[in-house]
Structures are given as structure tokens and as C-alpha cells.
Amino acid sequence: MSTRFWCETAWVDGQVATGVLLTADETGTLTSVETEIDTPPTIAEVVPGFTLPGGVNAHSHAFHRILRGRTHGDGGTFWTWREVMYSVAARLTPESYETVARAVFAEMLAGGYTSVGEFHYVHHAPDGTPYGAGDSTRAHAMERALARAATSAGMRIRLLDTCYLTGGIDSELSAEQARFGDGTIDGYMDRHAALSESFATEFPVISPGESFVHVGSAIHSIRAVPAANLPRFAELDEPVHVHLSEQPAENEACQAAYGTTPTQVLDRSGVVASNLSAVHATHLSNDDIASLGGAEANIVMCPCTEADLADGIGPARELADAGATISIGSDQHVVLDALRETQGLEAGERLHSGQRGRFSPAELISSLTTGGARSLDLPVGELAVGKACDFIAVRTDSMRTFGSVGEQVILSATSADVAMTVSGAHVRVRDGVHTELGEISELYRAAFAALGMED
């Protein structure tokens, strides 16, 4: 059996097309994309407004959503915010994390994302004991919790299994960080290989539409993985992500320890390549930009988080011009709004440069879709045959979007205008309500209760 959607207008082959008929097979993979079909077939669901490929959220920490609206009372800094984050991380169990992540992924879908790169480092019990020690059925319990949460919500996930070995350059993990670490690089690589093998069996990659769980790797940061260990990541044939130069203090510590920038430490280690995604990339030198661009690396900008944490504005336009591919992430989920996050990319560029139109509407759509698909190496980001049938329908007649011309709606719409979210050819969210999980606010009520944070 096939599923068909007739879209009033849609983004196809880099332009606005009208009367677009999407046909997906029983696996949720697109088998036909036809344009200029003036009348919708009777068996097709009519999708009004402007249809975009599903947004790709290339950088997420699901549990950080719990901090929303709870870290502003005293102003603070990135580093004091981090202490509050650690306190939430300490509360997580596999069971509670599944409840939290299910709510987050449901909100993510309502906000216009259909795929996510989950940068995951809460691997073990709070004292650092691996789940599964003495009970193999509990192995990879936190990772399985995230995978189950994603599949139950209908969110396509690349679980970025993160290496976190030190609390800072040449310093041990703190007590709060004990559950993040694997002791040594060999410990990480062994666990990562076992996780990948386990997930390949439990969540097999079958076809683009029905393969919802994928595994990748991540270096938490230059602070958390010694330079001597970095070449091991150049051996991996999968997406590799890294927090890069988010804060000046990170650059200063790296300069003191290694005599150069974090980007150059990665480059010397052979990690800077086309499968690398540098997250934030805020405080870069010209040489850093040249290295990342020359390698055709991916850059994941997280504008709302970078503004919230006062990180600064990264050189996105310069990186793109140098050859890097720009993508979008929501990081700590200040908002889960794919459109607002994408608008933040251009807004930052305008504030930084004093110029408008640093990224065209078409380039902004690419950063949200094909850019993220490249970063996560997922078969999404385009309404094209052979890709997953993942898309969002954006209202063009709301008080925010009425009168917007073509693709310029990317700069006027918000998540409130996402009328429908589809992944794997299944409607996951209609008008802000998850079709299977119900009201998303109620999912959060359960999530906060699971963490003992009802008040």
C-alpha cells in the first residue's frame, strides 16, 4: 500500500513548486514526486500552505530542555548555567530519561524538526558504574532509552555517542561528571563498538523511511578528550561531532596546553574532514575557518542557545564561503522552533555585519534541511525519490505569514504555523498535538514528575 499527499506548494529541487503530489511506499520512502498536479487525487491527503522537507536538528541535548526558564534569575554565565545542568543530569535514570526525551522529541516534531542528532554523554549511573554491570540486559540503558523515546514519538535519530574523558585539559572528571566518562579512550571505543553492534541488531537499517535509529560518535570538546586520543576518531567511518570553540575560555586553555587553537589540534589529529561536524564554532581564527572550509566540514550553528548563553556570534558566512556546510541545532532547547532557530542564523549575521541578506531564504532552507542531513548522514532533507517521506506543512495564511512571498515564509513563520509534521509517511503532529502521544504539555508534566521536579 502506498500513501499520497498533495501539497498546495512545496520546496522541490531548490525552488517553490505548485501542486506537488508525494507518493510513499509502505516503508515510508518516497517513490514519486510530481509537480503541477492541479487537482488533488481523491486518495491523497491535501496539505495546504507551504510544504518543506522536515527540519534536521543537528545538535540536541534532550535533557537540557528541563532547564528552560530556570537559569535566568541571577544572570549568571555559561559556567554557572553548567552547574545547574549538572544538577539535572544527576537526576536522570534510564526510565526517567525516556519519559523526558519522549516529551522533548514530541515538542521537536511540533516545532518543525523530523530528525535529530542527539549529542549524548550521560552514559552511566551517577557514580560512574556502567549500566549492565552484573546484568547484561541493562547494557546501554541510557542509549536505549533515547532510542525508544525517539521511535515512540516518530523522530528520526542519529545518536551521537559522546567521548568524555577529562573534566578539563589535564584534569580529572569531577564527581558530577563521573557518569559521562569511560575511563580511557580504549574504554570509550570498546563501549562505542558494542553499542553500534547492539543497535544494528535491535534497530536495523532497512530502508530510508523506516530506519529511525542510527549511531554516530562525538568528541565532547578539546577540554574533555586529550589531544593524544583524538586520532582514534579519524579511524571512524561515521559522522563525528565536536563542541568547538564555544567559549573564549576554551580557546585560552587550549592555547596554554597545546600552543594553538582547538581547530588546529583537531586538524593535526586528522579529525578535520568532511564527516566532521563542528558545533558552535563561535571563536575561530582565519586559519581555523580555512581548515574547516578546506576540508568541507559541517558546521552546526545553534543561534538561540548561543544567544541565551552569551556565547557570541560565529562566522557562519565566512565558513560557508570557505567551503563548509552550515546546519542548524537547538542544543539546550531555549526554543524548539525550527523556523525561529533558522531565522536566528540570519539575524546574527545581520547584527554582526550590519548587512541584510547574508543568507538568502534558499540558503536558510538548505541549512535546516540538506545541511543537517549531510551533518548526520541521514536520507532526509529533500522531497525526492529515495528519500524518507519526512516533511512539515507551514501555514501561509496566519497573522504571521499572510502576504509572505514564496520561500520568504522561512523568515516570517514560527512553530505556531506548523500545521502538520510527517515522518516516515505518518502524520505525527497536527496543530501542535501529537497524533499518538496526545497533548505535549501533558508529556512534560509526566517528565518533570519523573524527575521529582513537579514544583
Side-chain angles (χ1 to χ4, degrees), residues 325-356:
T325 297
I326 307 300
S327 57
I328 295 293
S330 67
D331 195 0
Q332 60 148 325
H333 318 310
V334 178
V335 296
L336 277 170
D337 185 328
L339 297 155
R340 181 174 160 189
E341 200 78 59
T342 304
Q343 292 156 14
L345 175 63
E346 172 65 9
E349 281 291 317
R350 293 184 184 191
L351 290 169
H352 178 68
S353 69
Q355 299 174 344
R356 301 183 80 219

Side-chain angles (χ1 to χ4, degrees), residues 221-265:
S221 60
I222 293 299
R223 291 180 287 108
V225 180
N229 296 155
L230 294 173
R232 298 290 296 276
F233 290 89
E235 303 168 4
L236 299 177
D237 183 22
E238 62 190 22
V240 177
H241 285 226
V242 60
H243 290 130
L244 187 68
S245 292
E246 181 177 5
Q247 286 283 322
E250 175 187 336
N251 284 4
E252 292 162 7
C254 185
Q255 188 72 40
Y258 302 122
T260 191
T261 66
T263 300
Q264 298 309 317
V265 172

Side-chain angles (χ1 to χ4, degrees), residues 184-198:
T184 65
I185 189 63
D186 286 337
Y188 166 79
M189 288 293 175
D190 289 346
R191 186 185 56 75
H192 179 69
L195 173 67
S196 299
E197 182 178 355
S198 173

Side-chain angles (χ1 to χ4, degrees), residues 125-139:
D127 64 357
T129 301
Y131 289 105
D135 179 4
S136 60
T137 63
R138 295 278 286 172

Side-chain angles (χ1 to χ4, degrees), residues 166-322:
T166 58
I169 297 175
D170 294 327
S171 65
E172 299 294 322
L173 293 175
S174 66
E176 298 91 343
Q177 298 166 325
R179 67 187 314 187
F180 307 162
D182 292 299
T184 65
I185 189 63
D186 286 337
Y188 166 79
M189 288 293 175
D190 289 346
R191 186 185 56 75
H192 179 69
L195 173 67
S196 299
E197 182 178 355
S198 173
F199 272 32
T201 300
E202 191 169 351
F203 306 100
V205 174
I206 303 168
S207 67
E210 60 187 346
S211 297
F212 274 78
V213 178
H214 306 256
V215 176
S217 59
I219 301 159
H220 180 271
S221 60
I222 293 299
R223 291 180 287 108
V225 180
N229 296 155
L230 294 173
R232 298 290 296 276
F233 290 89
E235 303 168 4
L236 299 177
D237 183 22
E238 62 190 22
V240 177
H241 285 226
V242 60
H243 290 130
L244 187 68
S245 292
E246 181 177 5
Q247 286 283 322
E250 175 187 336
N251 284 4
E252 292 162 7
C254 185
Q255 188 72 40
Y258 302 122
T260 191
T261 66
T263 300
Q264 298 309 317
V265 172
L266 291 172
D267 205 3
R268 293 173 183 176
S269 302
V271 179
V272 177
S274 60
N275 69 326
L276 179 72
S277 289
V279 182
H280 304 303
T282 308
H283 303 281
L284 302 182
S285 69
N286 290 335
D287 287 343
D288 295 340
I289 293 171
S291 294
L292 292 163
E296 299 182 346
N298 305 282
I299 307 297
V300 188
M301 295 292 183
C302 307
C304 292
T305 287
E306 287 148 10
D308 180 75
L309 296 179
D311 287 341
I313 299 169
R317 182 71 263 173
E318 290 86 349
L319 283 159
D321 290 343

